[in-house]
């Protein structure tokens, strides 16, 4: 299947990154969110980041112009009628995602594919909410999307093998390396990552070390680009908590219970980089 026109619903940090990557690979991208102002803000963010790459001599202005010409803000998903694939990249909330998925299912043509960038929610469940469960695929990008090489691919129980292969190839033509995960809570990356981030919170609460010492230990001791607290702030603490809850509910093991520290920060609205304060200050 050829994917010329892509619809992305949700233009937050993940959605905007997906739009940029698809546009850079030459696809025409329709961008939708709750309203057009949110989309225009996302578009401005992409342009600013690409501008920085030009200033650093990493990109030609002509390449930026090409990417920007492929990005089209639209008023809503009613404009997604002729997309070949719609990718949902909304907040990690199951009720919201099911609602958006149903809307996308009605808006796009019958032969088009529906993908979700969910980082933990059941693809099988989302597929069951549509009239095309065989054409639903999980496509889990990593943050920041333009930088990170991986896309985790998840077939639901009902996904058609040929459809799945087509979407895997699409991610690869966008320059990504793909892995395949079974449709279990958290998939591969978050099954391992979230307990690690959560454990950092428990360890700090027990007085094992300061936030700074834990981050520095992991960064320098394990040669990771960031420590767990800085990484949780990058992802967004609300997202980390949402995924922790999916693991806890879906796997039913108390070892996945979210740390009270993580819950408190989310209650305070200290959600990480996007709010200027999370475990660290920005
Ligand atoms: N969007 C696009 N590009 C970005 C970016 C963003 N939000 N943030 C940084 N970059 C680019 C910069 O432009 C820069 O590009 P050049 O090298 O071409 O100049 C490059 O990334 C490096 O950025 P910086 O020099 O500003 O900073 P850095 O060297 O400290 O790198 C980082 C920043 C790429 C975020 C790096 O710290 C890193 O890789 N951290 C780990 C990220 C990670 O683990 N992500 C996965 C999270 S888990 C996930 O996403 C799954 C989930 O469901 C929760």
């Amino acid at each position: 299947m050829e994917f010329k026109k892509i619809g992305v619903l949700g233009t937050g940090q993940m959605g905007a990154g997906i739009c940029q990557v698809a546009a850079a690979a030459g696809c025409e991208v329709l961008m939708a969110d709750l309203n057009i102002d949110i989309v225009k803000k996302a578009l401005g963010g992409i342009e600013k980041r690409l501008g920085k790459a030009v200033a650093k001599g990493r990109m030609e202005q002509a390449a930026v112009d090409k990417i920007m010409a492929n990005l089209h803000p639209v008023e809503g998903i009613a404009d997604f009628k002729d997309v070949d694939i719609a990718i949902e990249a909304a907040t990690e909330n199951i009720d919201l995602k099911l609602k958006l998925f149903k809307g996308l299912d009605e808006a796009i043509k019958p032969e088009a594919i529906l993908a979700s960038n969910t980082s933990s929610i059941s693809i099988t469940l989302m597929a069951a909410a549509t009239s095309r469960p065989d054409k639903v695929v999980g496509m889990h990008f990593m943050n920041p999307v333009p930088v990170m090489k991986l896309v985790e691919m998840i077939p639901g129980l009902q996904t058609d093998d040929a459809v799945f292969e087509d979407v895997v190839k699409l991610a690869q033509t966008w320059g990504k390396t793909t892995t395949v995960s079974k449709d279990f809570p958290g998939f591969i990356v978050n099954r391992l990552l979230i307990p690690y981030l959560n454990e950092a919170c428990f360890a700090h609460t027990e007085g094992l070390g300061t936030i700074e010492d834990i981050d520095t230990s992991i960064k320098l001791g394990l040669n990771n680009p960031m420590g767990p607290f800085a990484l949780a702030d990058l992802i967004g603490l609300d997202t980390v908590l949402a995924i922790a809850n999916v693991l806890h509910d879906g796997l039913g093991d108390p070892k996945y219970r979210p740390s009270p520290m993580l819950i408190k920060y989310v209650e305070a609205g200290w959600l990480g980089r996007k709010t200027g304060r999370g475990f660290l200050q920005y």
Side-chain angles (χ1 to χ4, degrees):
M1 180 169 179
E2 259 207 297
F3 296 97
K4 284 191 177 150
K5 206 176 227 185
I6 319 288
V8 177
L9 175 59
T11 57
Q13 54 182 353
M14 297 303 289
I18 295 168
C19 291
Q20 181 185 324
V21 165
C27 294
E28 200 181 330
V29 183
L30 306 188
M31 305 167 67
D33 208 307
L34 281 174
N35 61 58
I36 194 91
D37 292 335
I38 299 177
V39 179
K40 285 187 178 156
K41 199 170 158 216
L43 200 63
I46 295 173
E47 194 162 24
K48 196 169 156 202
R49 265 198 306 277
L50 292 174
K52 277 190 191 159
V54 173
K56 284 187 195 167
R58 306 259 169 130
M59 265 183 110
E60 297 288 335
Q61 185 58 45
V64 173
D65 294 344
K66 248 184 173 169
I67 295 173
M68 295 310 296
N70 283 337
L71 293 168
H72 308 285
V74 297
E75 293 283 349
I77 57 172
D79 292 310
F80 280 11
K81 277 191 274 311
D82 58 349
V83 299
D84 302 306
I85 180 169
I87 304 176
E88 168 278 320
T91 312
E92 202 63 6
N93 172 306
I94 195 156
D95 295 331
L96 174 70
K97 282 194 187 272
L98 287 174
K99 185 172 150 232
L100 296 179
F101 238 58
K102 279 185 191 149
L104 283 170
D105 185 36
E106 283 162 19
I108 66 176
K109 60 190 178 191
E111 64 273 28
I113 291 170
L114 258 173
S116 174
N117 178 52
T118 180
S119 39
S120 61
I121 294 171
S122 167
I123 299 301
T124 302
L125 180 68
M126 293 174 70
T130 73
S131 65
R132 65 187 87 208
D134 56 321
K135 295 191 184 67
V136 172
V137 176
M139 209 179 181
H140 182 212
F141 290 82
M142 305 294 132
N143 185 11
V145 179
V147 180
M148 304 298 286
K149 285 265 171 270
L150 182 72
V151 181
E152 227 179 351
M153 301 295 308
I154 308 103
L157 210 54
Q158 316 93 317
T159 311
D160 178 82
D161 289 347
V163 166
F164 186 68
E165 278 316 308
D166 281 346
V167 185
V168 167
K169 277 192 205 121
L170 175 68
Q172 291 169 350
T173 61
W174 289 356
K176 300 300 184 188
T177 299
T178 54
T179 53
V180 178
S181 168
K182 206 165 175 178
D183 185 21
F184 274 17
F187 316 133
I188 296 174
V189 168
N190 285 325
R191 174 75 178 264
L192 302 184
L193 173 65
I194 299 302
Y196 153 68
L197 301 181
N198 200 32
E199 189 60 20
C201 295
F202 278 117
H204 173 65
T205 312
E206 285 166 17
L208 184 68
T210 62
I211 286 178
E212 290 72 21
D213 278 348
I214 292 174
D215 264 4
T216 303
S217 298
I218 295 298
K219 194 174 166 184
L220 303 185
L222 300 181
N223 217 9
N224 281 6
M226 301 175 136
F229 291 105
L231 180 54
D233 279 355
L234 174 74
I235 295 166
L237 303 193
D238 50 342
T239 302
V240 174
L241 178 59
I243 304 170
N245 281 324
V246 169
L247 290 179
H248 191 214
D249 296 344
L251 298 167
D253 189 323
K255 77 178 176 185
Y256 296 110
R257 72 197 184 285
S259 135
M261 175 183 174
L262 174 63
I263 295 170
K264 275 291 152 221
Y265 273 68
V266 173
E267 282 174 358
W270 296 342
L271 304 183
R273 284 194 189 193
K274 62 186 169 190
T275 58
R277 177 169 186 175
F279 293 130
L280 305 163
Q281 302 250 24
Y282 299 90

